[in-house]
mmCIF file with all atom_site columns, all heavy atoms in Angstrom:
data_model
loop_
_atom_site.group_PDB
_atom_site.id
_atom_site.type_symbol
_atom_site.label_atom_id
_atom_site.label_alt_id
_atom_site.label_comp_id
_atom_site.label_asym_id
_atom_site.label_entity_id
_atom_site.label_seq_id
_atom_site.pdbx_PDB_ins_code
_atom_site.Cartn_x
_atom_site.Cartn_y
_atom_site.Cartn_z
_atom_site.occupancy
_atom_site.B_iso_or_equiv
_atom_site.pdbx_formal_charge
_atom_site.auth_seq_id
_atom_site.auth_comp_id
_atom_site.auth_asym_id
_atom_site.auth_atom_id
_atom_site.pdbx_PDB_model_num
ATOM 1   N N   . GLY A 1 1  ? 97.330  100.552 92.708  1.00 95.00 ? 31 GLY A N   1
ATOM 2   C CA  . GLY A 1 1  ? 96.246  99.809  93.338  1.00 95.00 ? 31 GLY A CA  1
ATOM 3   C C   . GLY A 1 1  ? 96.497  99.405  94.785  1.00 95.00 ? 31 GLY A C   1
ATOM 4   O O   . GLY A 1 1  ? 95.589  98.952  95.472  1.00 95.00 ? 31 GLY A O   1
ATOM 5   N N   . VAL A 1 2  ? 97.717  99.575  95.265  1.00 95.00 ? 32 VAL A N   1
ATOM 6   C CA  . VAL A 1 2  ? 98.043  99.215  96.656  1.00 95.00 ? 32 VAL A CA  1
ATOM 7   C C   . VAL A 1 2  ? 97.843  100.451 97.536  1.00 95.00 ? 32 VAL A C   1
ATOM 8   O O   . VAL A 1 2  ? 98.483  101.475 97.325  1.00 95.00 ? 32 VAL A O   1
ATOM 9   C CB  . VAL A 1 2  ? 99.495  98.710  96.778  1.00 95.00 ? 32 VAL A CB  1
ATOM 10  C CG1 . VAL A 1 2  ? 99.838  98.431  98.233  1.00 95.00 ? 32 VAL A CG1 1
ATOM 11  C CG2 . VAL A 1 2  ? 99.699  97.469  95.928  1.00 95.00 ? 32 VAL A CG2 1
ATOM 12  N N   . GLU A 1 3  ? 96.964  100.335 98.502  1.00 94.00 ? 33 GLU A N   1
ATOM 13  C CA  . GLU A 1 3  ? 96.747  101.468 99.409  1.00 94.00 ? 33 GLU A CA  1
ATOM 14  C C   . GLU A 1 3  ? 97.954  101.637 100.325 1.00 94.00 ? 33 GLU A C   1
ATOM 15  O O   . GLU A 1 3  ? 98.399  100.678 100.963 1.00 94.00 ? 33 GLU A O   1
ATOM 16  C CB  . GLU A 1 3  ? 95.486  101.263 100.249 1.00 94.00 ? 33 GLU A CB  1
ATOM 17  C CG  . GLU A 1 3  ? 95.194  102.461 101.100 1.00 94.00 ? 33 GLU A CG  1
ATOM 18  C CD  . GLU A 1 3  ? 93.844  102.400 101.811 1.00 94.00 ? 33 GLU A CD  1
ATOM 19  O OE1 . GLU A 1 3  ? 93.015  101.533 101.480 1.00 94.00 ? 33 GLU A OE1 1
ATOM 20  O OE2 . GLU A 1 3  ? 93.630  103.234 102.704 1.00 94.00 ? 33 GLU A OE2 1
ATOM 21  N N   . SER A 1 4  ? 98.472  102.860 100.356 1.00 94.00 ? 34 SER A N   1
ATOM 22  C CA  . SER A 1 4  ? 99.625  103.164 101.217 1.00 94.00 ? 34 SER A CA  1
ATOM 23  C C   . SER A 1 4  ? 99.415  104.498 101.920 1.00 94.00 ? 34 SER A C   1
ATOM 24  O O   . SER A 1 4  ? 100.317 105.300 102.055 1.00 94.00 ? 34 SER A O   1
ATOM 25  C CB  . SER A 1 4  ? 100.913 103.188 100.386 1.00 94.00 ? 34 SER A CB  1
ATOM 26  O OG  . SER A 1 4  ? 100.834 104.183 99.379  1.00 94.00 ? 34 SER A OG  1
ATOM 27  N N   . THR A 1 5  ? 98.196  104.711 102.357 1.00 93.00 ? 35 THR A N   1
ATOM 28  C CA  . THR A 1 5  ? 97.825  105.953 103.029 1.00 93.00 ? 35 THR A CA  1
ATOM 29  C C   . THR A 1 5  ? 98.307  105.947 104.479 1.00 93.00 ? 35 THR A C   1
ATOM 30  O O   . THR A 1 5  ? 98.713  104.901 104.995 1.00 93.00 ? 35 THR A O   1
ATOM 31  C CB  . THR A 1 5  ? 96.294  106.137 102.991 1.00 93.00 ? 35 THR A CB  1
ATOM 32  O OG1 . THR A 1 5  ? 95.683  105.033 103.667 1.00 93.00 ? 35 THR A OG1 1
ATOM 33  C CG2 . THR A 1 5  ? 95.775  106.204 101.558 1.00 93.00 ? 35 THR A CG2 1
ATOM 34  N N   . PRO A 1 6  ? 98.259  107.095 105.160 1.00 91.00 ? 36 PRO A N   1
ATOM 35  C CA  . PRO A 1 6  ? 98.730  107.160 106.549 1.00 91.00 ? 36 PRO A CA  1
ATOM 36  C C   . PRO A 1 6  ? 98.053  106.163 107.482 1.00 91.00 ? 36 PRO A C   1
ATOM 37  O O   . PRO A 1 6  ? 98.686  105.659 108.407 1.00 91.00 ? 36 PRO A O   1
ATOM 38  C CB  . PRO A 1 6  ? 98.412  108.599 106.959 1.00 91.00 ? 36 PRO A CB  1
ATOM 39  C CG  . PRO A 1 6  ? 98.455  109.367 105.685 1.00 91.00 ? 36 PRO A CG  1
ATOM 40  C CD  . PRO A 1 6  ? 97.886  108.419 104.654 1.00 91.00 ? 36 PRO A CD  1
ATOM 41  N N   . THR A 1 7  ? 96.793  105.847 107.256 1.00 93.00 ? 37 THR A N   1
ATOM 42  C CA  . THR A 1 7  ? 96.100  104.912 108.148 1.00 93.00 ? 37 THR A CA  1
ATOM 43  C C   . THR A 1 7  ? 96.409  103.456 107.818 1.00 93.00 ? 37 THR A C   1
ATOM 44  O O   . THR A 1 7  ? 96.224  102.581 108.654 1.00 93.00 ? 37 THR A O   1
ATOM 45  C CB  . THR A 1 7  ? 94.575  105.125 108.085 1.00 93.00 ? 37 THR A CB  1
ATOM 46  O OG1 . THR A 1 7  ? 94.144  104.995 106.728 1.00 93.00 ? 37 THR A OG1 1
ATOM 47  C CG2 . THR A 1 7  ? 94.184  106.490 108.622 1.00 93.00 ? 37 THR A CG2 1
ATOM 48  N N   . THR A 1 8  ? 96.916  103.195 106.618 1.00 95.00 ? 38 THR A N   1
ATOM 49  C CA  . THR A 1 8  ? 97.219  101.834 106.188 1.00 95.00 ? 38 THR A CA  1
ATOM 50  C C   . THR A 1 8  ? 98.690  101.502 106.304 1.00 95.00 ? 38 THR A C   1
ATOM 51  O O   . THR A 1 8  ? 99.068  100.374 106.592 1.00 95.00 ? 38 THR A O   1
ATOM 52  C CB  . THR A 1 8  ? 96.774  101.624 104.724 1.00 95.00 ? 38 THR A CB  1
ATOM 53  O OG1 . THR A 1 8  ? 95.402  101.945 104.625 1.00 95.00 ? 38 THR A OG1 1
ATOM 54  C CG2 . THR A 1 8  ? 96.993  100.206 104.267 1.00 95.00 ? 38 THR A CG2 1
ATOM 55  N N   . GLY A 1 9  ? 99.559  102.471 106.042 1.00 96.00 ? 39 GLY A N   1
ATOM 56  C CA  . GLY A 1 9  ? 100.995 102.236 106.031 1.00 96.00 ? 39 GLY A CA  1
ATOM 57  C C   . GLY A 1 9  ? 101.466 101.839 104.644 1.00 96.00 ? 39 GLY A C   1
ATOM 58  O O   . GLY A 1 9  ? 100.678 101.662 103.722 1.00 96.00 ? 39 GLY A O   1
ATOM 59  N N   . ASN A 1 10 ? 102.783 101.708 104.507 1.00 95.00 ? 40 ASN A N   1
ATOM 60  C CA  . ASN A 1 10 ? 103.331 101.450 103.181 1.00 95.00 ? 40 ASN A CA  1
ATOM 61  C C   . ASN A 1 10 ? 104.012 100.086 103.046 1.00 95.00 ? 40 ASN A C   1
ATOM 62  O O   . ASN A 1 10 ? 104.709 99.839  102.070 1.00 95.00 ? 40 ASN A O   1
ATOM 63  C CB  . ASN A 1 10 ? 104.324 102.559 102.800 1.00 95.00 ? 40 ASN A CB  1
ATOM 64  C CG  . ASN A 1 10 ? 105.641 102.441 103.525 1.00 95.00 ? 40 ASN A CG  1
ATOM 65  O OD1 . ASN A 1 10 ? 105.746 101.782 104.556 1.00 95.00 ? 40 ASN A OD1 1
ATOM 66  N ND2 . ASN A 1 10 ? 106.657 103.084 103.002 1.00 95.00 ? 40 ASN A ND2 1
ATOM 67  N N   . VAL A 1 11 ? 103.826 99.196  103.995 1.00 97.00 ? 41 VAL A N   1
ATOM 68  C CA  . VAL A 1 11 ? 104.538 97.917  103.972 1.00 97.00 ? 41 VAL A CA  1
ATOM 69  C C   . VAL A 1 11 ? 104.210 97.116  102.714 1.00 97.00 ? 41 VAL A C   1
ATOM 70  O O   . VAL A 1 11 ? 105.111 96.585  102.056 1.00 97.00 ? 41 VAL A O   1
ATOM 71  C CB  . VAL A 1 11 ? 104.251 97.086  105.244 1.00 97.00 ? 41 VAL A CB  1
ATOM 72  C CG1 . VAL A 1 11 ? 104.820 95.679  105.127 1.00 97.00 ? 41 VAL A CG1 1
ATOM 73  C CG2 . VAL A 1 11 ? 104.824 97.785  106.468 1.00 97.00 ? 41 VAL A CG2 1
ATOM 74  N N   . GLU A 1 12 ? 102.955 97.042  102.346 1.00 96.00 ? 42 GLU A N   1
ATOM 75  C CA  . GLU A 1 12 ? 102.573 96.229  101.180 1.00 96.00 ? 42 GLU A CA  1
ATOM 76  C C   . GLU A 1 12 ? 103.213 96.761  99.898  1.00 96.00 ? 42 GLU A C   1
ATOM 77  O O   . GLU A 1 12 ? 103.757 95.997  99.094  1.00 96.00 ? 42 GLU A O   1
ATOM 78  C CB  . GLU A 1 12 ? 101.055 96.176  101.032 1.00 96.00 ? 42 GLU A CB  1
ATOM 79  C CG  . GLU A 1 12 ? 100.603 95.254  99.918  1.00 96.00 ? 42 GLU A CG  1
ATOM 80  C CD  . GLU A 1 12 ? 99.089  95.167  99.771  1.00 96.00 ? 42 GLU A CD  1
ATOM 81  O OE1 . GLU A 1 12 ? 98.352  95.720  100.613 1.00 96.00 ? 42 GLU A OE1 1
ATOM 82  O OE2 . GLU A 1 12 ? 98.650  94.546  98.783  1.00 96.00 ? 42 GLU A OE2 1
ATOM 83  N N   . VAL A 1 13 ? 103.174 98.072  99.706  1.00 95.00 ? 43 VAL A N   1
ATOM 84  C CA  . VAL A 1 13 ? 103.762 98.633  98.493  1.00 95.00 ? 43 VAL A CA  1
ATOM 85  C C   . VAL A 1 13 ? 105.286 98.528  98.533  1.00 95.00 ? 43 VAL A C   1
ATOM 86  O O   . VAL A 1 13 ? 105.939 98.308  97.504  1.00 95.00 ? 43 VAL A O   1
ATOM 87  C CB  . VAL A 1 13 ? 103.272 100.085 98.238  1.00 95.00 ? 43 VAL A CB  1
ATOM 88  C CG1 . VAL A 1 13 ? 103.924 101.076 99.155  1.00 95.00 ? 43 VAL A CG1 1
ATOM 89  C CG2 . VAL A 1 13 ? 103.483 100.477 96.787  1.00 95.00 ? 43 VAL A CG2 1
ATOM 90  N N   . ALA A 1 14 ? 105.884 98.626  99.710  1.00 96.00 ? 44 ALA A N   1
ATOM 91  C CA  . ALA A 1 14 ? 107.336 98.461  99.845  1.00 96.00 ? 44 ALA A CA  1
ATOM 92  C C   . ALA A 1 14 ? 107.739 97.025  99.509  1.00 96.00 ? 44 ALA A C   1
ATOM 93  O O   . ALA A 1 14 ? 108.754 96.802  98.841  1.00 96.00 ? 44 ALA A O   1
ATOM 94  C CB  . ALA A 1 14 ? 107.789 98.830  101.250 1.00 96.00 ? 44 ALA A CB  1
ATOM 95  N N   . GLN A 1 15 ? 106.957 96.061  99.950  1.00 97.00 ? 45 GLN A N   1
ATOM 96  C CA  . GLN A 1 15 ? 107.249 94.667  99.640  1.00 97.00 ? 45 GLN A CA  1
ATOM 97  C C   . GLN A 1 15 ? 107.140 94.410  98.137  1.00 97.00 ? 45 GLN A C   1
ATOM 98  O O   . GLN A 1 15 ? 107.947 93.673  97.561  1.00 97.00 ? 45 GLN A O   1
ATOM 99  C CB  . GLN A 1 15 ? 106.312 93.736  100.412 1.00 97.00 ? 45 GLN A CB  1
ATOM 100 C CG  . GLN A 1 15 ? 106.600 93.707  101.892 1.00 97.00 ? 45 GLN A CG  1
ATOM 101 C CD  . GLN A 1 15 ? 105.558 92.955  102.691 1.00 97.00 ? 45 GLN A CD  1
ATOM 102 O OE1 . GLN A 1 15 ? 104.419 92.752  102.257 1.00 97.00 ? 45 GLN A OE1 1
ATOM 103 N NE2 . GLN A 1 15 ? 105.949 92.539  103.897 1.00 97.00 ? 45 GLN A NE2 1
ATOM 104 N N   . LEU A 1 16 ? 106.174 95.042  97.489  1.00 96.00 ? 46 LEU A N   1
ATOM 105 C CA  . LEU A 1 16 ? 106.029 94.918  96.043  1.00 96.00 ? 46 LEU A CA  1
ATOM 106 C C   . LEU A 1 16 ? 107.236 95.529  95.324  1.00 96.00 ? 46 LEU A C   1
ATOM 107 O O   . LEU A 1 16 ? 107.797 94.924  94.409  1.00 96.00 ? 46 LEU A O   1
ATOM 108 C CB  . LEU A 1 16 ? 104.730 95.589  95.586  1.00 96.00 ? 46 LEU A CB  1
ATOM 109 C CG  . LEU A 1 16 ? 104.366 95.460  94.117  1.00 96.00 ? 46 LEU A CG  1
ATOM 110 C CD1 . LEU A 1 16 ? 104.237 94.003  93.695  1.00 96.00 ? 46 LEU A CD1 1
ATOM 111 C CD2 . LEU A 1 16 ? 103.061 96.209  93.855  1.00 96.00 ? 46 LEU A CD2 1
ATOM 112 N N   . ALA A 1 17 ? 107.656 96.712  95.745  1.00 95.00 ? 47 ALA A N   1
ATOM 113 C CA  . ALA A 1 17 ? 108.830 97.355  95.148  1.00 95.00 ? 47 ALA A CA  1
ATOM 114 C C   . ALA A 1 17 ? 110.072 96.491  95.354  1.00 95.00 ? 47 ALA A C   1
ATOM 115 O O   . ALA A 1 17 ? 110.886 96.322  94.432  1.00 95.00 ? 47 ALA A O   1
ATOM 116 C CB  . ALA A 1 17 ? 109.037 98.742  95.762  1.00 95.00 ? 47 ALA A CB  1
ATOM 117 N N   . ALA A 1 18 ? 110.219 95.928  96.539  1.00 96.00 ? 48 ALA A N   1
ATOM 118 C CA  . ALA A 1 18 ? 111.365 95.062  96.829  1.00 96.00 ? 48 ALA A CA  1
ATOM 119 C C   . ALA A 1 18 ? 111.352 93.829  95.925  1.00 96.00 ? 48 ALA A C   1
ATOM 120 O O   . ALA A 1 18 ? 112.396 93.435  95.382  1.00 96.00 ? 48 ALA A O   1
ATOM 121 C CB  . ALA A 1 18 ? 111.352 94.652  98.308  1.00 96.00 ? 48 ALA A CB  1
ATOM 122 N N   . GLN A 1 19 ? 110.191 93.243  95.741  1.00 96.00 ? 49 GLN A N   1
ATOM 123 C CA  . GLN A 1 19 ? 110.061 92.070  94.872  1.00 96.00 ? 49 GLN A CA  1
ATOM 124 C C   . GLN A 1 19 ? 110.494 92.408  93.446  1.00 96.00 ? 49 GLN A C   1
ATOM 125 O O   . GLN A 1 19 ? 111.262 91.668  92.826  1.00 96.00 ? 49 GLN A O   1
ATOM 126 C CB  . GLN A 1 19 ? 108.611 91.584  94.867  1.00 96.00 ? 49 GLN A CB  1
ATOM 127 C CG  . GLN A 1 19 ? 108.327 90.485  93.866  1.00 96.00 ? 49 GLN A CG  1
ATOM 128 C CD  . GLN A 1 19 ? 106.845 90.200  93.725  1.00 96.00 ? 49 GLN A CD  1
ATOM 129 O OE1 . GLN A 1 19 ? 106.055 90.425  94.645  1.00 96.00 ? 49 GLN A OE1 1
ATOM 130 N NE2 . GLN A 1 19 ? 106.446 89.724  92.567  1.00 96.00 ? 49 GLN A NE2 1
ATOM 131 N N   . TRP A 1 20 ? 110.037 93.535  92.924  1.00 95.00 ? 50 TRP A N   1
ATOM 132 C CA  . TRP A 1 20 ? 110.383 93.923  91.552  1.00 95.00 ? 50 TRP A CA  1
ATOM 133 C C   . TRP A 1 20 ? 111.869 94.232  91.430  1.00 95.00 ? 50 TRP A C   1
ATOM 134 O O   . TRP A 1 20 ? 112.489 93.925  90.418  1.00 95.00 ? 50 TRP A O   1
ATOM 135 C CB  . TRP A 1 20 ? 109.540 95.095  91.097  1.00 95.00 ? 50 TRP A CB  1
ATOM 136 C CG  . TRP A 1 20 ? 108.096 94.724  90.877  1.00 95.00 ? 50 TRP A CG  1
ATOM 137 C CD1 . TRP A 1 20 ? 107.579 93.472  90.750  1.00 95.00 ? 50 TRP A CD1 1
ATOM 138 C CD2 . TRP A 1 20 ? 106.996 95.616  90.753  1.00 95.00 ? 50 TRP A CD2 1
ATOM 139 N NE1 . TRP A 1 20 ? 106.222 93.528  90.566  1.00 95.00 ? 50 TRP A NE1 1
ATOM 140 C CE2 . TRP A 1 20 ? 105.835 94.832  90.563  1.00 95.00 ? 50 TRP A CE2 1
ATOM 141 C CE3 . TRP A 1 20 ? 106.874 96.995  90.800  1.00 95.00 ? 50 TRP A CE3 1
ATOM 142 C CZ2 . TRP A 1 20 ? 104.577 95.387  90.402  1.00 95.00 ? 50 TRP A CZ2 1
ATOM 143 C CZ3 . TRP A 1 20 ? 105.605 97.548  90.632  1.00 95.00 ? 50 TRP A CZ3 1
ATOM 144 C CH2 . TRP A 1 20 ? 104.471 96.760  90.440  1.00 95.00 ? 50 TRP A CH2 1
ATOM 145 N N   . CYS A 1 21 ? 112.458 94.834  92.456  1.00 94.00 ? 51 CYS A N   1
ATOM 146 C CA  . CYS A 1 21 ? 113.902 95.089  92.432  1.00 94.00 ? 51 CYS A CA  1
ATOM 147 C C   . CYS A 1 21 ? 114.678 93.778  92.408  1.00 94.00 ? 51 CYS A C   1
ATOM 148 O O   . CYS A 1 21 ? 115.670 93.643  91.686  1.00 94.00 ? 51 CYS A O   1
ATOM 149 C CB  . CYS A 1 21 ? 114.320 95.934  93.640  1.00 94.00 ? 51 CYS A CB  1
ATOM 150 S SG  . CYS A 1 21 ? 113.823 97.663  93.529  1.00 94.00 ? 51 CYS A SG  1
ATOM 151 N N   . ARG A 1 22 ? 114.242 92.803  93.199  1.00 96.00 ? 52 ARG A N   1
ATOM 152 C CA  . ARG A 1 22 ? 114.909 91.498  93.214  1.00 96.00 ? 52 ARG A CA  1
ATOM 153 C C   . ARG A 1 22 ? 114.790 90.812  91.850  1.00 96.00 ? 52 ARG A C   1
ATOM 154 O O   . ARG A 1 22 ? 115.731 90.158  91.393  1.00 96.00 ? 52 ARG A O   1
ATOM 155 C CB  . ARG A 1 22 ? 114.317 90.615  94.306  1.00 96.00 ? 52 ARG A CB  1
ATOM 156 C CG  . ARG A 1 22 ? 114.736 91.022  95.698  1.00 96.00 ? 52 ARG A CG  1
ATOM 157 C CD  . ARG A 1 22 ? 114.218 90.056  96.761  1.00 96.00 ? 52 ARG A CD  1
ATOM 158 N NE  . ARG A 1 22 ? 114.566 90.523  98.080  1.00 96.00 ? 52 ARG A NE  1
ATOM 159 C CZ  . ARG A 1 22 ? 113.675 91.041  98.954  1.00 96.00 ? 52 ARG A CZ  1
ATOM 160 N NH1 . ARG A 1 22 ? 112.390 91.122  98.645  1.00 96.00 ? 52 ARG A NH1 1
ATOM 161 N NH2 . ARG A 1 22 ? 114.076 91.455  100.133 1.00 96.00 ? 52 ARG A NH2 1
ATOM 162 N N   . GLU A 1 23 ? 113.627 90.950  91.214  1.00 95.00 ? 53 GLU A N   1
ATOM 163 C CA  . GLU A 1 23 ? 113.402 90.319  89.910  1.00 95.00 ? 53 GLU A CA  1
ATOM 164 C C   . GLU A 1 23 ? 114.388 90.813  88.850  1.00 95.00 ? 53 GLU A C   1
ATOM 165 O O   . GLU A 1 23 ? 114.707 90.072  87.923  1.00 95.00 ? 53 GLU A O   1
ATOM 166 C CB  . GLU A 1 23 ? 111.969 90.560  89.433  1.00 95.00 ? 53 GLU A CB  1
ATOM 167 C CG  . GLU A 1 23 ? 110.941 89.754  90.179  1.00 95.00 ? 53 GLU A CG  1
ATOM 168 C CD  . GLU A 1 23 ? 109.510 90.088  89.771  1.00 95.00 ? 53 GLU A CD  1
ATOM 169 O OE1 . GLU A 1 23 ? 109.301 90.821  88.769  1.00 95.00 ? 53 GLU A OE1 1
ATOM 170 O OE2 . GLU A 1 23 ? 108.583 89.621  90.458  1.00 95.00 ? 53 GLU A OE2 1
ATOM 171 N N   . ILE A 1 24 ? 114.859 92.043  88.979  1.00 94.00 ? 54 ILE A N   1
ATOM 172 C CA  . ILE A 1 24 ? 115.819 92.555  87.998  1.00 94.00 ? 54 ILE A CA  1
ATOM 173 C C   . ILE A 1 24 ? 117.262 92.420  88.480  1.00 94.00 ? 54 ILE A C   1
ATOM 174 O O   . ILE A 1 24 ? 118.174 92.983  87.885  1.00 94.00 ? 54 ILE A O   1
ATOM 175 C CB  . ILE A 1 24 ? 115.511 94.010  87.587  1.00 94.00 ? 54 ILE A CB  1
ATOM 176 C CG1 . ILE A 1 24 ? 115.608 94.971  88.768  1.00 94.00 ? 54 ILE A CG1 1
ATOM 177 C CG2 . ILE A 1 24 ? 114.165 94.102  86.896  1.00 94.00 ? 54 ILE A CG2 1
ATOM 178 C CD1 . ILE A 1 24 ? 115.572 96.435  88.377  1.00 94.00 ? 54 ILE A CD1 1
ATOM 179 N N   . GLY A 1 25 ? 117.446 91.674  89.582  1.00 95.00 ? 55 GLY A N   1
ATOM 180 C CA  . GLY A 1 25 ? 118.792 91.337  90.020  1.00 95.00 ? 55 GLY A CA  1
ATOM 181 C C   . GLY A 1 25 ? 119.410 92.257  91.053  1.00 95.00 ? 55 GLY A C   1
ATOM 182 O O   . GLY A 1 25 ? 120.601 92.130  91.342  1.00 95.00 ? 55 GLY A O   1
ATOM 183 N N   . LEU A 1 26 ? 118.645 93.170  91.617  1.00 95.00 ? 56 LEU A N   1
ATOM 184 C CA  . LEU A 1 26 ? 119.197 94.037  92.656  1.00 95.00 ? 56 LEU A CA  1
ATOM 185 C C   . LEU A 1 26 ? 119.196 93.315  93.998  1.00 95.00 ? 56 LEU A C   1
ATOM 186 O O   . LEU A 1 26 ? 118.351 92.455  94.252  1.00 95.00 ? 56 LEU A O   1
ATOM 187 C CB  . LEU A 1 26 ? 118.388 95.326  92.758  1.00 95.00 ? 56 LEU A CB  1
ATOM 188 C CG  . LEU A 1 26 ? 118.435 96.232  91.527  1.00 95.00 ? 56 LEU A CG  1
ATOM 189 C CD1 . LEU A 1 26 ? 117.482 97.410  91.699  1.00 95.00 ? 56 LEU A CD1 1
ATOM 190 C CD2 . LEU A 1 26 ? 119.844 96.719  91.249  1.00 95.00 ? 56 LEU A CD2 1
ATOM 191 N N   . ASN A 1 27 ? 120.131 93.665  94.851  1.00 95.00 ? 57 ASN A N   1
ATOM 192 C CA  . ASN A 1 27 ? 120.179 93.161  96.217  1.00 95.00 ? 57 ASN A CA  1
ATOM 193 C C   . ASN A 1 27 ? 119.340 94.099  97.074  1.00 95.00 ? 57 ASN A C   1
ATOM 194 O O   . ASN A 1 27 ? 119.576 95.307  97.080  1.00 95.00 ? 57 ASN A O   1
ATOM 195 C CB  . ASN A 1 27 ? 121.618 93.119  96.730  1.00 95.00 ? 57 ASN A CB  1
ATOM 196 C CG  . ASN A 1 27 ? 122.413 92.067  96.012  1.00 95.00 ? 57 ASN A CG  1
ATOM 197 O OD1 . ASN A 1 27 ? 122.288 90.897  96.315  1.00 95.00 ? 57 ASN A OD1 1
ATOM 198 N ND2 . ASN A 1 27 ? 123.209 92.478  95.031  1.00 95.00 ? 57 ASN A ND2 1
ATOM 199 N N   . VAL A 1 28 ? 118.377 93.557  97.775  1.00 95.00 ? 58 VAL A N   1
ATOM 200 C CA  . VAL A 1 28 ? 117.389 94.377  98.472  1.00 95.00 ? 58 VAL A CA  1
ATOM 201 C C   . VAL A 1 28 ? 117.419 94.120  99.970  1.00 95.00 ? 58 VAL A C   1
ATOM 202 O O   . VAL A 1 28 ? 117.493 92.978  100.420 1.00 95.00 ? 58 VAL A O   1
ATOM 203 C CB  . VAL A 1 28 ? 115.970 94.089  97.927  1.00 95.00 ? 58 VAL A CB  1
ATOM 204 C CG1 . VAL A 1 28 ? 114.920 94.863  98.697  1.00 95.00 ? 58 VAL A CG1 1
ATOM 205 C CG2 . VAL A 1 28 ? 115.897 94.403  96.439  1.00 95.00 ? 58 VAL A CG2 1
#
């Protein structure tokens, strides 16, 4: 559901992935 197209960029989806990685205890 997060738009990450060339005109939008991927920052929002990257931040979401980083959040989920932190939730499982990874250092991000």
Side-chain angles (χ1 to χ4, degrees):
V32 176
E33 185 172 348
S34 60
T35 60
T37 56
T38 304
N40 75 341
V41 172
E42 185 179 353
V43 75
Q45 290 172 339
L46 185 59
Q49 173 190 333
W50 290 344
C51 287
R52 286 184 184 108
E53 287 175 10
I54 62 169
L56 295 174
N57 291 282
V58 176

